[in-house]
């Protein structure tokens, strides 16, 4: 750790978003959103997230993806 020196830290930014086809049924889209946003509340979901090195899914602010 003594040999590592932080020279710059970036600001927070969003990971690539989860996207679905426009053809998906609205009910399926809503269910998928609900499941992903609540995954961190379930013990098995927490394990899956840990394997992905993700804390949890959140609904992002659109500005995070504007350039």
């Amino acid at each position: 750790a003594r040999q590592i020196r932080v020279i710059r830290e970036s600001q927070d930014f969003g990971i690539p978003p989860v996207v679905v086809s426009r053809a998906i049924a609205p009910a399926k889209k809503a269910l998928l959103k609900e499941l992903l946003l609540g995954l961190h509340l379930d013990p098995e979901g927490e394990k899956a997230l840990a394997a992905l090195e993700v804390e949890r899914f959140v609904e992002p602010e659109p500005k995070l993806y504007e350039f």
Side-chain angles (χ1 to χ4, degrees):
R2 290 183 182 175
Q3 295 176 344
I4 297 175
R5 180 173 61 124
V6 176
I7 57 172
R8 183 172 183 266
E9 290 185 27
S10 70
Q11 63 189 76
D12 291 339
F13 58 92
I15 62 171
V18 175
V19 296
V20 296
S21 168
R22 290 181 185 192
I24 192 171
K28 283 187 180 182
K29 181 179 176 182
L31 178 60
L32 180 59
K33 180 178 177 180
E34 179 184 335
L35 291 171
L36 289 174
L37 293 177
L39 204 53
H40 66 286
L41 301 173
D42 178 78
E44 290 299 314
E46 281 190 323
K47 289 179 188 177
L49 290 170
L52 297 171
E53 296 184 2
V54 172
E55 287 181 32
R56 66 184 179 137
F57 286 100
V58 297
E59 194 161 1
E61 296 180 39
K63 71 179 181 177
L64 290 176
Y65 298 99
E66 294 174 2
F67 294 97

